[in-house]
Amino acid sequence: MNSGRSSPQSRSPICSSPPKYAEMELQHLERIPPPRHPVKILLLENVHQTGVLLFEKEGFQVELLKTSLTEEELMEKIKDVHVIGIRSKTKITKRVLENASKLLAIGCFCIGTDQVDLEAAERLGIPVFNSPFANTRSVAELIIAEIVCLSRKLFDVSKGCHEGQWFKSAVGCHEIRGKTLGIVGYGHIGSQLSVLAESQGMNVIFYDIIPVLPLGNSTPCKSLEEVLSNSDFVTLHVPKSPQTENMIGEKQIKLMKKGAYLLNASRGTVVDLKALADSLRSGHLGGAAIDVYPKEPKANGSGFETPLQNCPNTILTPHIGGSTEEAQQMIGEEVATALIKLVRSGSTVNAVNFPNLEVPFTSSSHRILNVHRNVPGVLRDINNIFASRDTNVKAQVLGTTADIGYLIVDVDKETSEEVKEAIASLKPSLRTRILY
Ligand SMILES: NC(=O)c1ccc[n+]([C@@H]2O[C@H](COP(=O)([O-])OP(=O)(O)OC[C@H]3O[C@@H](n4cnc5c(N)ncnc54)[C@H](O)[C@@H]3O)[C@@H](O)[C@H]2O)c1
Ligand SMILES: O=C(O)[C@H](O)COP(=O)(O)O
């Protein structure tokens, strides 16, 4: 399927070997002196080596763990960490954040950020970064593969052959061409999947809670129920939220056609697995493919249990939708780059819970980064600090949300330390640091 974009090999000679993303994004940091104190990075859940190497190239101290950590373990480990990198398992709660006195930023080396208390992080002046779509294609391709596997009962038939059974039959097996795929959540993954499914000859309908551009010949539906009752395959691509919790339960499954298939590679809280298991065993649904679960192990190993085990024509995978080498390498590079820019220059571009600011460094100056509660008079007080110390402000940018203000200001070197201390001592200040 040609997405219309040229592949690296087919690009014109001018950009036949495009500079790597990180090299482009970080090149301007060369003009900024490195941090005077060691920068400690804690990476959990086997973050890709690309990210590790980028941090090490910056001279940061990296600790890499293959697993996630419990809240208690995190509360201890995070005390002297400047940056933490996680994936979808590790839960960074308000309690953990209240122990993170040195934490400058959080990197979600994945799409989802529901595992972080974003409001608590914002109110504590900690920006959170993610990789909004680097594993989109990986998930979409997995779903396409599973649709064919379910439609041909491939896993059950293959298991039979491995066990010495030769059972050749076309009963209950169908082409996917001409069948209807119902997509719930038409965002990055849902829309990419829509294009791939249509390229396989499927009809695509979808439901989203916001107006979105239907790609190709796909058709928006007015309700979830409309998608459920008109689809041969229903696939879920919504975020974890109070609204999506158990959005597919016994009542919704009963609305689905007899023999239809349910696929979920979004979040484990979206589907009531007991209701799904009952519908598979009763024969109402023809099969399911599940990649995410309400409770998932914090590390690889045995002992995983789910009500879906041994259900007919049911594909179970261990949250691998984004687990391809291509996706993990891109994510590692993208999120590590954003975190390095935050540490080295205060850039918050691509932060999901912060004003997105990036200011070119002003030569022969020091940079002060201040996060404060967004209350009246803060900027007046900060500017009075500059005026009263005869400090020349060479660049100043303020971004705000309802709860916080984020200020990047380049000032004279001569008075920068004194000014930084005065700003940090203002009552609304949450975090203040200086870059030399
Ligand atoms: N299994 C995996 O490995 C894997 C990989 C990547 C992403 N994910 C999960 O998939 C989710 C979707 O990823 P994405 O990149 O497409 O996100 P996205 O934010 O681009 O798209 C999500 C879409 O869902 C819609 N939505 C939200 N609530 C809804 C509701 N109640 N009903 C219908 N639509 C609703 C949103 O409007 C949005 O258009 C992520 O939040 C993540 O949790 C899982
Ligand atoms: O949010 C995501 O991108 C997916 O759930 C992938 O999570 P993972 O990085 O833990 O595989």
Side-chain angles (χ1 to χ4, degrees), residues 111 135 139 187-189 208-210 237 239 265-267 291 319 321-322:
I111 287 180
N135 63 20
V139 181
H188 292 127
I189 295 173
D208 201 302
I209 52 172
I210 60 170
H237 300 287
S266 61
R267 281 293 181 263
D291 186 46
H319 202 143

Side-chain angles (χ1 to χ4, degrees), residues 3 19 29 31 38 53 81 154 254 263 269 355 385 391 406 412 425:
S3 62
L29 294 182
R31 294 189 296 111
L53 295 173
V81 162
L154 213 52
K254 281 185 175 161
L263 300 95
T269 48
I385 289 171
T391 296
Y406 179 48
D412 294 331
S425 63

Side-chain angles (χ1 to χ4, degrees), residues 188-213:
H188 292 127
I189 295 173
S191 56
Q192 168 96 186
L193 176 61
S194 173
V195 173
L196 294 180
E198 283 199 341
S199 74
Q200 298 299 318
M202 297 189 83
N203 307 314
V204 175
I205 62 177
F206 66 86
Y207 170 65
D208 201 302
I209 52 172
I210 60 170
V212 289
L213 171 70

Side-chain angles (χ1 to χ4, degrees), residues 88 110-114 132-133 135-136 139 142 184-191 207-210 212 224 236-241 243-244 247 264-267 291-292 319-323:
S88 63
C110 55
I111 287 180
T113 55
D114 53 84
F133 35 73
N135 63 20
T136 299
V139 181
L142 177 70
V184 181
Y186 203 77
H188 292 127
I189 295 173
S191 56
Y207 170 65
D208 201 302
I209 52 172
I210 60 170
V212 289
L224 171 65
L236 309 170
H237 300 287
V238 293
K240 176 179 178 179
S241 70
Q243 296 73 27
T244 63
M247 79 186 286
N264 183 26
S266 61
R267 281 293 181 263
D291 186 46
V292 287
H319 202 143
I320 56 163
S323 296

